[in-house]
Amino acid sequence: MAVVVPLAQVLLSAALVLAFSRLVRGPHLADRVVALDLTALIVVGLIAVYVIQTGEAALLDAAIVLALIGFLSTVAFARYLERRTRR
């Protein structure tokens, strides 16, 4: 456990940097929406790893809410893009 948690934090941080670069550089709006969803999921993963490390279970509620908001925002953007391409 002493090696796994810091390793997971480093890997998730690297993934967060890559996802953020896709969010900034994304050539299309759909790419940016997927990168935003991925960023939210990576942050949820970081919160989960922090909870495992510290045992502070109160942060799991924040992680669940963040995951739900990320999912709903992705669905809303997908519906927006679908309606935009129909016109």
Side-chain angles (χ1 to χ4, degrees), residues 62-75:
I64 291 170
V65 170
L66 182 62
L68 181 63
I69 289 172
F71 172 73
L72 291 176
S73 66
T74 302
V75 170

Side-chain angles (χ1 to χ4, degrees), residues 1-19:
M1 194 66 120
V3 175
V4 173
V5 170
L7 180 66
Q9 287 173 336
V10 168
L11 292 175
L12 286 171
S13 298
L16 185 63
V17 169
L18 292 174

Side-chain angles (χ1 to χ4, degrees), residues 39-61:
T39 302
L41 288 176
I42 291 170
V43 170
V44 168
L46 281 171
I47 291 172
V49 169
Y50 181 77
V51 167
I52 290 171
Q53 184 180 20
T54 61
E56 195 167 327
L59 292 176
L60 283 178
D61 295 336

